[in-house]
Amino acid sequence: MTSKTESLDGVVVKKEDQSRINKFARKNALLQELKDELKSKQDILQDIEEGENSMLLTQEQIIPYRVGEVFFELTNERTISMLEIAKKECLERISNLEVEIIEIEKILKDLKAELYARFGNNINLEPTAPNEI
């Protein structure tokens, strides 16, 4: 037996429906967080690549390298090595984020189809622009 929570223009919202709506909201919020992190990682990757290019042009033997809020003086070779490691880690995280985003988008697509099939125009699952809130 399913429990009814409320009526939406003649359509009864069941507990299972509310669970799907809540899952959609949670996954949608997670998707936005992952997209924000992906953008941040892509920006960091661009900075790393610019750093690598700068290293090719520099004649300096000792390079200041920032880790967190602290700068270390490293040799040119060690700095290039550190940039390569950072780039590899960043690319790996970007790849993982892209896979997670694709998986969540598929879940959201399926949930959206189920909810629109059940509620039609009585439910709005489309994102709103930040200024519309």
Side-chain angles (χ1 to χ4, degrees):
M1 181 173 168
T2 61
S3 63
K4 301 174 187 174
T5 55
E6 56 186 87
S7 178
L8 190 68
D9 287 340
V11 179
V12 176
V13 180
K14 299 177 183 176
K15 185 176 182 181
E16 299 83 30
D17 298 327
Q18 188 61 51
S19 293
R20 285 187 190 100
I21 293 167
N22 292 345
K23 181 177 181 179
F24 183 89
R26 285 190 311 273
K27 293 290 184 183
N28 199 39
L30 177 59
L31 178 63
Q32 189 56 51
E33 288 174 20
L34 293 175
K35 284 182 175 182
D36 291 345
E37 183 180 352
L38 177 61
K39 172 72 172 101
S40 173
K41 293 296 180 188
Q42 289 169 332
D43 291 344
I44 290 169
L45 179 61
Q46 183 178 352
D47 291 344
I48 291 170
E49 289 172 343
E50 288 174 8
E52 285 179 323
N53 292 337
S54 295
M55 291 304 301
L56 297 174
L57 301 174
T58 188
Q59 299 297 320
E60 300 293 323
Q61 295 301 314
I62 301 294
I63 308 293
Y65 187 87
R66 188 175 117 188
V67 177
E69 299 296 321
V70 179
F71 283 90
F72 295 93
E73 289 186 349
L74 302 176
T75 64
N76 195 328
E77 296 80 24
R78 182 68 177 139
T79 302
I80 291 171
S81 174
M82 295 289 288
L83 287 171
E84 288 172 357
I85 291 168
K87 183 176 180 178
K88 180 182 175 200
E89 290 172 353
C90 196
L91 285 169
E92 187 176 310
R93 182 62 183 148
I94 286 172
S95 178
N96 291 340
L97 285 167
E98 289 171 341
V99 168
E100 281 185 76
I101 287 170
I102 289 169
E103 290 172 359
I104 290 174
E105 286 176 336
K106 183 186 179 326
I107 291 168
L108 288 174
K109 181 181 174 189
D110 293 345
L111 283 170
K112 192 183 279 191
E114 289 174 23
L115 291 168
Y116 275 128
R118 173 96 168 98
F119 297 107
N121 292 334
N122 293 318
I123 191 167
N124 182 9
L125 302 172
E126 302 307 317
T128 58
N131 297 351
E132 294 179 21
I133 297 175

